[in-house]
Amino acid sequence: MAAIPIPHIRARSNPLLDAVTVLIGPVAAGADRPVAEQRASGTEVLLSTKLDAAVRFSLICCHSGHDQAVTVELQLAPQRIDGSLGSFQSAATVSLPAEGGRVEAFISGHDLQIDAADADQVQWPCMAAAKAIASPGTPADLTCGLTATLPA
């Protein structure tokens, strides 16, 4: 299916993401999460802010070392009017060397696209779910997250 661009719309709510929304790695316990958890590669995470309302946000990935280079693909999905999620689409891909390190990719919320089949079933802004997929393997200390860099 062809991807269609998301129209530029100013959000009425705060367009910033949480300080860091963890997609892969440890998530501390807090007021809304009584137990700490470890998010694995491919875990779908619902976001508190729609990403297409942000001018720019970042995908940040880091690890201290692995037996081979690691590629992380960020995929995003719109939330449909009925509350279900649409099709996940690739938004960015980063590579980390086997030696470890940190990589940050800047992404414009206004450049995000959705699957054409979801276009009639969403209300803008709509990008409300994310997942990061690490390959070929996931280092034990790999952490990937999203953070806002500029408001809408």
Side-chain angles (χ1 to χ4, degrees):
M1 295 242 147
I4 62 167
I6 296 174
H8 171 71
I9 294 178
R10 280 203 177 268
R12 291 187 187 121
S13 63
N14 181 352
L16 297 178
L17 298 170
D18 300 334
V20 173
T21 301
V22 176
L23 301 176
I24 299 175
V27 181
D32 62 345
R33 185 180 300 101
V35 178
E37 66 177 279
Q38 177 75 24
R39 290 197 176 139
S41 174
T43 301
E44 294 179 7
V45 178
L46 293 177
L47 307 170
S48 60
T49 301
K50 308 293 193 280
L51 294 179
D52 47 328
V55 171
R56 189 169 78 177
F57 60 96
S58 297
L59 169 66
I60 302 170
C61 300
C62 62
H63 72 88
S64 62
H66 192 53
D67 58 356
Q68 55 189 325
V70 178
T71 300
V72 177
E73 179 185 13
L74 172 65
Q75 294 184 358
L76 304 174
Q79 185 171 24
R80 296 180 181 142
I81 295 170
D82 66 4
S84 65
L85 293 179
S87 300
F88 278 89
Q89 300 288 317
S90 181
T93 301
V94 297
S95 295
L96 295 107
E99 298 80 30
R102 178 180 178 206
V103 176
E104 183 170 4
F106 296 106
I107 304 160
S108 170
H110 303 297
D111 291 337
L112 298 176
Q113 298 184 3
I114 64 170
D115 189 290
D118 293 325
D120 294 336
Q121 301 174 39
V122 299
Q123 182 176 359
W124 313 103
C126 63
M127 297 305 267
K131 65 181 174 180
I133 301 171
S135 63
T138 305
D141 66 342
L142 177 65
T143 301
C144 294
L146 295 173
T147 188
T149 53
L150 292 174

